């Protein structure tokens, strides 16, 4: 139940950002981690990674102080979700009428991992970081996306036909056998 208090719309990454932001607001308190059933070591690792990313941005002359780069227009963090989509566009799955997900390019049936904040919400289209195989193949670390973003982000990989709903895709014409003339 403590975990569900952190859930945010948009996906697991948005939830993880919310956890980090709340820890930062507590002045990186160890006690806050204990109260929220979080591992201090994992939180410190996240802080170290963030500091490394800031340093990398400085090295390649990305102004990490530019507020427009980190502006959050709404609660769904569209800019963050698009960024994740641009890095993991090949790991995309779409909800089918059956309630299962299918990867867009390989048509593998996959499910949302039960630990995901999106497990019960069933978004139409998601990007995932990894697949875990147990009795089923589960997507972990997922974020909800708009499928049209794929055409914007990866036009070299996706075509409009790839992101259409299965019911709207044109049916392939069946080849009729050519009648043979009797000699």
């Amino acid at each position: 139940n403590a975990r569900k208090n952190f859930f945010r719309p948009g996906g697991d990454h948005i939830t993880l950002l919310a956890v980090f932001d709340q820890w930062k607001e507590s002045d990186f308190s160890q006690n806050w981690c204990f109260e929220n059933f979080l591992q201090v070591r994992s939180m410190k690792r996240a802080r170290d990674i963030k500091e490394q990313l800031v340093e990398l941005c400085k090295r390649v002359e990305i102004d990490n102080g530019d507020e427009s780069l980190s502006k959050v227009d709404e609660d769904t963090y569209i800019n963050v979700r698009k960024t994740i989509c641009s890095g993991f566009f090949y790991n995309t799955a779409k909800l089918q009428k059956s309630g299962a997900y299918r990867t867009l390019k390989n048509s593998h049936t996959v499910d949302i991992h039960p630990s995901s904040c999106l497990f019960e919400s069933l978004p139409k289209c998601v990007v995932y970081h990894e697949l875990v195989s147990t009795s089923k193949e589960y997507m972990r670390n997922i974020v909800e996306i708009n499928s049209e973003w794929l055409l914007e982000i990866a036009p070299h990989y996706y075509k409009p036909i790839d992101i259409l709903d299965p019911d709207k895709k044109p049916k392939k014409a069946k080849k009729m056998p050519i009648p043979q003339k009797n000699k």
Side-chain angles (χ1 to χ4, degrees):
N1 204 16
R3 187 173 57 90
K4 286 187 177 183
N5 291 334
F6 289 115
F7 283 3
R8 296 293 181 274
D12 298 327
H13 302 85
I14 308 307
T15 297
L16 292 170
L17 277 172
V19 170
F20 186 85
D21 287 343
Q22 288 181 37
W23 183 51
K24 183 178 176 182
E25 287 173 17
S26 78
D27 201 25
F28 304 110
S29 165
Q30 285 188 359
N31 199 33
W32 183 88
C33 291
F34 295 132
E35 290 169 1
N36 289 283
F37 307 99
L38 297 168
Q39 293 181 348
V40 176
R41 190 175 77 202
S42 296
M43 296 303 293
K44 285 181 178 179
R45 184 167 184 265
R47 183 178 56 195
D48 292 344
I49 290 169
K50 182 181 184 224
E51 289 170 1
Q52 290 171 24
L53 289 171
V54 167
E55 288 304 313
L56 285 171
C57 286
K58 287 178 185 175
R59 258 192 240 160
V60 295
E61 298 177 359
I62 294 175
D63 182 8
N64 67 313
D66 182 353
E67 291 297 319
S68 67
L69 293 176
S70 60
K71 183 178 176 191
V72 177
D73 292 329
E74 55 184 80
D75 288 341
T76 57
Y77 289 78
I78 289 174
N79 54 346
V80 175
R81 294 186 297 131
K82 275 188 170 182
T83 302
I84 294 166
C85 183
S86 69
F88 289 88
F89 62 84
Y90 46 87
N91 289 349
T92 305
K94 205 161 187 187
L95 183 64
Q96 306 299 299
K97 280 189 172 186
S98 65
Y101 283 85
R102 283 198 164 276
T103 59
L104 285 186
K105 281 295 191 172
N106 301 328
S107 292
H108 289 249
T109 300
V110 291
D111 291 295
I112 295 177
H113 195 275
S115 67
S116 173
C117 68
L118 296 176
F119 180 66
E120 294 175 350
S121 63
L122 299 177
K124 289 181 183 176
C125 193
V126 296
V127 168
Y128 59 90
H129 276 192
E130 65 180 339
L131 289 175
V132 177
S133 292
T134 57
S135 58
K136 293 181 177 180
E137 219 169 355
Y138 287 108
M139 300 177 286
R140 285 197 9 188
N141 300 320
I142 66 171
V143 66
E144 182 176 5
I145 65 161
N146 181 331
S147 58
E148 283 78 31
W149 295 348
L150 296 169
L151 298 176
E152 175 187 331
I153 291 166
H156 60 285
Y157 194 75
Y158 290 106
K159 303 297 175 229
I161 193 82
D162 294 327
I163 64 168
L164 284 175
D165 289 330
D167 298 336
K168 295 180 183 174
K169 285 186 181 181
K171 305 283 187 224
K172 290 183 181 177
K174 290 183 181 178
K175 292 186 179 180
M176 299 298 289
I178 301 172
Q180 300 290 324
K181 291 184 181 179
N182 291 338
K183 292 184 183 179

